[in-house]
Amino acid sequence: TKRKAAFAEFFRSRQVTSHDRLSFFGLMVKPVQRFPQFILFLQDLLHHTGHGHPDRMSLQLALTQLESLAELLNERKREAEQSQAFREMLRAISGKLSARPIADNNRCLLRQDDVTQMEVNQCGLISKCKSRRLLLLNDLLVCVSVNSKEENINSSPQRLSLKWSSPISDVQVVENSASPTLSRLLTPSGSLTSNGSSGVTDNLCVEMSQLMHDYQVVSRIADLAGTLKGSYPELSPEITRGLLNSIQSEIQHKDEQMAWVDSCCLQLSVRNKDDNYTFQMDSPETRKEWITELRLARLALDPSNSPAWEVPDQEARPCTKMPLFVAAHPVYTSQAQSEVVCGCYYTSVCGKASYLWVCTTDGTNSHISIAQTAATSLKPLTQLHLPDIIVTAMDFVRSTDSVWVGTDSQKLLVYSVADIEHTEQTHSIATSGNVVTLRQHCDSVFVALTTGRLLIFRRQSFTEPENIVLGSDPVSYLLPINLSLYAACGKTVTVLSAITGEMQKSFTIQHEHVRGNVNLMAHSGVGLWLSLSNSSTICLYHTETFKHLQDINVASNVLRLTGSPGPVLVTALMACKGLLWVGTDAGVSLTVPLPRLEGVPIISGRVNVSYHTHVGPVRLLLPLQDPPTIHKRPASKALACDIYGLYGQLMYVKDYEEAEERLDLSHWSLSTSSEESAAATPRNIPDTRREHTLVTVTGGRGYVNLQQPCCTTITNNAHIVLWEMKL
């Protein structure tokens, strides 16, 4: 209408005359964009505010509030951009995607990537390459071509032509050595066979073909020069050998480049399609991210995740960052009733393989199962039987490339893992009491005993440990935090230097309404979560002042789901990657969102309860990741990467009302997390982050899906449950 046109003209005139030339939309979002700057400012203030200053806790609480608000804004903005990108894609595409209504509110665009599709002929050679765009929706994979005639018209969106589409449940990634790769562009004689390759691929193949030809020619020249009767310095064997070595080195370099291009190949198998689809992606990292996104989307559609968590009624929409149920695996099957008691995870010294150790017991004997892990898959390798021994704890010690196992028989067992297929015990160390728990930290092994003593084995030392008396009660838990070690003994938590073993400070919990000693601990930001023995309450303390901040009773959440009467006790506790995990004796696991930065992790949101539970107590909560590198926090300027990695999406806001600023997401990934958002890194800037998801293991006795208890209940055998969450 004329009134709207006049109103729009008013905004345009004001924008032209303003000193910053910001549109009305830009002015509205500018306060939101300042949130990462506010967080950085608070981080800077904290860096210059000493411990013990009366304002320090107030700054940390303010940081927590800002982070919670920034997280909420980030999530809403991500949802809006996903919805906008999906609408833009629908307007640009020609063709019918599926029988399901396109405008379904539950359908969204996860990511889209420009790729090169390679067609293979009957001889197995790549005959043609085509430019395509893969659109990955939460339930559908769509392949389109981009209309190149309109690419130079900036004011018009790109038109997309539908080539094919398929539900993601029908799409499988083919992982084998026979997939079409760059090496198929060369015949055995070394000549180039492809006639439709892209520039980079074409150049590599031409250069490799020429080098192979030159190597053959120089080899013949060297053979002929060896038959000469006279002596000719210019044709000496040393010169021809040096030339051959130079060409061979260049061939090896080109081969490495071709191997990198091969690692960018994505091959897909689609149900009801005769041939596989092969795509060349921008980088191996992009391929890995795409496969991860597809796997998570498939998991989200699985009936086991519909739903996997019981969310309180006050939450209008389910959280997109909830861990997804992957699978439940039996660990050890025996005639007697068995349960998981402990476990450890580590990456080999060479970094090429990762391993998971899980120990089960039947009350008399123990059994250790070792598996190789890759993403969410487990490959069983070997098993260790420990008759008449009850294992209580274990941890991997990188300095000795071994796994230390604690027992209730007053001894430590050390197993060498240099040859994982033939793991053998190398040491048996006697202790003055039964081992409760043990931790490797700062190149030392800390062993907690039932006698109230703490043993410290220094680097590569198996004898004469340092002996520290913490009290008369058993040392129930050890928690490494930066360069310190928190040790719980009775009602007292003692902080020791992990380097020297010197006691730094200690505090005693004071709870009149809650009885029991400290049983479990977890750390997040500047918060220390404690669980008391024979209690359903977890308590939050400030790590610097030891001030008591919050109590959370999880009993009502568990009883709401199980409906069974009786007390609920906390049996496992872990804080990792923005979630507090709580395991109970009812077999139920709970998660609570936590701040990701250095604020106080006060819980103000929901407590989510898992439908996938154990029959017996949850004894193991283990993230499948190596422990972080121990170092002091850098200056606040270096923290910018953390903050902008989490909340940088707020800095990039598109004006959806302007036609010339339509979303072109051909170079971007719309992630379901704040770290990898719609404003993620462009393709021409390499992404150095390796962690895309976090796999978490819960362990206990049996397994049951409370959504289908009649079909899935397993009562006697020890089980682990795998969860995967995108970071």
Side-chain angles (χ1 to χ4, degrees):
T1 63
K2 292 184 178 180
R3 290 186 60 186
K4 288 185 178 180
F7 194 50
E9 181 60 32
F10 168 75
F11 280 137
R12 278 193 290 268
S13 63
R14 298 298 297 176
Q15 178 181 354
V16 171
T17 57
S18 64
H19 68 281
D20 51 12
R21 300 298 180 92
L22 283 176
S23 66
F24 178 69
F25 183 84
L27 290 172
M28 291 179 65
V29 301
K30 196 169 184 178
V32 176
Q33 292 176 325
R34 289 191 179 275
F35 268 92
Q37 299 173 11
F38 294 153
I39 294 175
L40 267 180
F41 178 64
L42 279 181
Q43 290 272 21
D44 204 19
L45 283 176
L46 279 171
H47 180 68
H48 292 89
T49 303
H51 292 266
H53 194 282
D55 293 337
R56 186 168 176 83
M57 182 180 288
S58 298
L59 289 174
Q60 291 168 338
L61 290 171
L63 179 62
T64 301
Q65 295 296 325
L66 267 180
E67 184 180 359
S68 300
L69 186 54
E71 179 75 15
L72 178 63
L73 291 172
N74 224 20
E75 187 69 14
R76 295 298 178 262
K77 180 179 179 295
R78 181 196 62 80
E79 293 173 356
E81 289 191 340
Q82 280 190 332
S83 176
Q84 176 67 15
F86 182 55
R87 289 196 297 268
E88 289 289 334
M89 184 267 293
L90 290 181
R91 284 196 289 265
I93 200 169
S94 59
K96 186 177 180 180
L97 292 183
S98 65
R100 176 179 167 183
I102 291 180
D104 194 323
N105 292 331
N106 295 323
R107 175 174 283 169
C108 63
L109 178 65
L110 299 179
R111 65 179 292 142
Q112 55 180 341
D113 301 86
D114 285 340
V115 298
T116 301
Q117 182 177 349
M118 298 182 292
E119 294 185 358
V120 183
N121 58 24
Q122 295 180 348
C123 300
L125 302 175
I126 299 175
S127 59
K128 188 181 296 184
C129 295
K130 302 176 181 179
S131 296
R132 292 289 184 262
R133 182 173 295 175
L134 286 180
L135 309 174
L136 181 60
L137 281 65
N138 60 325
D139 66 333
L140 199 67
L141 178 61
V142 183
C143 180
V144 298
S145 63
V146 180
N147 192 340
S148 58
K149 295 181 180 180
E150 299 182 7
E151 286 182 347
N152 296 327
I153 305 176
N154 295 329
S155 59
S156 301
Q158 293 177 326
R159 299 303 302 172
L160 308 176
S161 299
L162 177 65
K163 295 303 178 182
W164 56 268
S165 65
S166 174
I168 60 174
S169 56
D170 295 342
V171 179
Q172 296 285 347
V173 177
V174 180
E175 298 279 5
N176 57 49
S177 58
S179 60
T181 60
L182 194 59
S183 58
R184 294 198 178 195
L185 293 168
L186 298 175
T187 63
S189 62
S191 60
L192 188 67
T193 62
S194 175
N195 55 11
S197 303
S198 59
V200 175
T201 302
D202 203 14
N203 292 337
L204 280 175
C205 290
V206 169
E207 293 170 2
M208 178 64 87
S209 178
Q210 293 173 349
L211 285 171
M212 293 171 65
H213 172 269
D214 293 349
Y215 186 84
Q216 294 174 355
V217 172
V218 175
S219 296
R220 290 197 296 267
I221 292 175
D223 293 339
L224 292 174
T227 63
L228 294 174
K229 302 299 184 181
S231 176
Y232 304 95
E234 295 82 1
L235 294 175
S236 64
E238 291 77 13
I239 292 180
T240 54
R241 192 181 303 113
L243 186 57
L244 283 173
N245 291 338
S246 175
I247 298 176
Q248 193 171 13
S249 175
E250 191 63 26
I251 289 176
Q252 184 177 0
H253 177 66
K254 293 297 178 185
D255 186 64
E256 292 174 353
Q257 291 181 323
M258 294 176 69
W260 183 89
V261 175
D262 286 347
S263 65
C264 301
C265 280
L266 174 68
Q267 189 173 27
L268 301 178
S269 167
V270 181
R271 186 182 301 176
N272 299 326
K273 300 285 186 180
D274 295 333
D275 298 326
N276 294 338
Y277 294 99
T278 303
F279 301 97
Q280 189 81 30
M281 308 199 81
D282 291 336
S283 66
E285 188 72 13
T286 302
R287 178 183 182 273
K288 182 178 180 180
E289 291 177 359
W290 196 94
I291 293 175
T292 299
E293 200 84 62
L294 176 66
R295 184 177 69 249
L296 292 177
R298 287 169 58 92
L299 276 178
L301 294 179
D302 190 279
S304 298
N305 285 300
S306 302
W309 297 86
E310 193 267 346
V311 182
D313 295 336
Q314 61 266 27
E315 294 292 329
R317 286 177 286 186
C319 180
T320 58
K321 297 183 181 180
M322 295 300 298
L324 296 171
F325 171 79
V326 178
H329 296 285
V331 181
Y332 179 64
T333 303
S334 65
Q335 297 295 331
Q337 181 174 285
S338 62
E339 66 175 357
V340 174
V341 290
C342 60
C344 70
Y345 168 86
Y346 66 92
T347 302
S348 61
V349 177
C350 62
K352 294 183 179 179
S354 299
Y355 302 98
L356 173 66
W357 289 46
V358 178
C359 180
T360 63
T361 182
D362 57 8
T364 304
N365 309 306
S366 294
H367 177 91
I368 297 176
S369 301
I370 306 174
Q372 184 175 345
T373 67
T376 57
S377 63
L378 298 178
K379 177 186 177 183
L381 295 179
T382 186
Q383 297 178 344
L384 304 176
H385 297 274
L386 284 73
D388 301 323
I389 294 177
I390 301 298
V391 172
T392 56
M394 65 170 56
D395 203 1
F396 173 70
V397 181
R398 187 166 297 278
S399 59
T400 58
D401 199 19
S402 60
V403 172
W404 290 43
V405 176
T407 71
D408 69 349
S409 307
Q410 298 188 3
K411 62 181 178 180
L412 287 165
L413 307 178
V414 180
Y415 291 88
S416 172
V417 296
D419 184 2
I420 194 65
E421 297 285 353
H422 302 89
T423 302
E424 60 180 11
Q425 180 183 328
T426 58
H427 294 82
S428 178
I429 306 170
T431 60
S432 59
N434 296 339
V435 177
V436 179
T437 185
L438 62 88
R439 283 297 181 96
Q440 185 272 340
H441 187 51
C442 292
D443 287 336
S444 299
V445 180
F446 299 84
V447 181
L449 304 180
T450 55
T451 58
R453 296 176 179 269
L454 178 66
L455 305 182
I456 305 178
F457 294 85
R458 295 303 179 186
R459 182 180 178 90
Q460 297 182 349
S461 172
F462 299 97
T463 59
E464 299 181 359
E466 298 179 31
N467 197 326
I468 299 176
V469 179
L470 297 179
S472 58
D473 294 306
V475 180
S476 57
Y477 203 82
L478 300 176
L479 179 65
I481 301 179
N482 296 331
L483 297 176
S484 301
L485 181 80
Y486 285 58
C489 180
K491 295 181 180 294
T492 302
V493 176
T494 305
V495 183
L496 303 96
S497 169
I499 305 298
T500 64
E502 178 184 355
M503 294 187 186
Q504 297 175 334
K505 51 186 176 180
S506 65
F507 76 100
T508 302
I509 60 171
Q510 300 292 338
H511 284 278
E512 297 179 356
H513 61 286
V514 178
R515 296 181 179 180
N517 296 331
V518 178
N519 185 37
L520 303 164
M521 295 189 293
H523 166 253
S524 175
V526 291
L528 179 66
W529 288 99
L530 305 178
S531 167
L532 306 182
S533 58
N534 301 319
S535 172
S536 59
T537 301
I538 53 176
C539 315
L540 175 64
Y541 285 81
H542 191 241
T543 56
E544 297 174 3
T545 64
F546 296 127
K547 181 180 179 180
H548 179 230
L549 301 176
Q550 189 178 23
D551 285 340
I552 300 292
N553 193 315
V554 302
S556 60
N557 297 282
V558 176
L559 297 178
R560 184 178 69 241
L561 185 67
T562 61
S564 58
V568 176
L569 307 180
V570 176
T571 56
L573 196 63
M574 179 189 72
C576 186
K577 299 295 184 182
L579 277 184
L580 177 67
W581 289 75
V582 183
T584 65
D585 65 337
V588 177
S589 299
L590 306 93
T591 60
V592 187
L594 293 177
R596 300 288 292 274
L597 299 178
E598 295 182 343
V600 181
I602 291 180
I603 293 178
S604 58
R606 64 192 177 279
V607 176
N608 306 300
V609 188
S610 169
Y611 283 113
H612 299 274
T613 71
H614 298 280
V615 177
V618 178
R619 299 295 184 189
L620 177 66
L621 288 174
L622 180 66
L624 299 192
Q625 64 172 9
D626 288 318
T629 303
I630 304 301
H631 57 79
K632 293 183 178 180
R633 293 293 292 175
S636 58
K637 289 184 179 180
L639 292 173
C641 59
D642 295 339
I643 296 165
Y644 286 109
L646 288 170
Y647 308 115
Q649 181 182 359
L650 294 176
M651 301 298 293
Y652 301 91
V653 180
K654 296 279 187 179
D655 190 343
Y656 302 135
E657 299 173 357
E658 298 293 334
E660 61 268 21
E661 294 188 20
R662 293 181 184 272
L663 284 178
D664 177 14
L665 298 180
S666 59
H667 302 332
W668 310 89
S669 167
L670 280 174
S671 170
T672 55
S673 73
S674 57
E675 287 97 331
E676 298 177 9
S677 57
T681 309
R683 291 188 304 174
N684 58 345
I685 300 177
D687 186 2
T688 58
R689 284 178 289 113
R690 295 183 179 181
E691 292 185 351
H692 306 288
T693 65
L694 175 66
V695 178
T696 302
V697 174
T698 69
R701 176 172 61 86
Y703 163 73
V704 58
N705 181 357
L706 295 180
Q707 294 281 65
Q708 301 172 335
C710 59
C711 305
T712 58
T713 301
I714 303 172
T715 57
N716 288 331
N717 296 326
H719 271 68
I720 59 173
V721 177
L722 297 184
W723 301 88
E724 186 173 19
M725 181 181 69
K726 184 164 184 179
L727 300 178

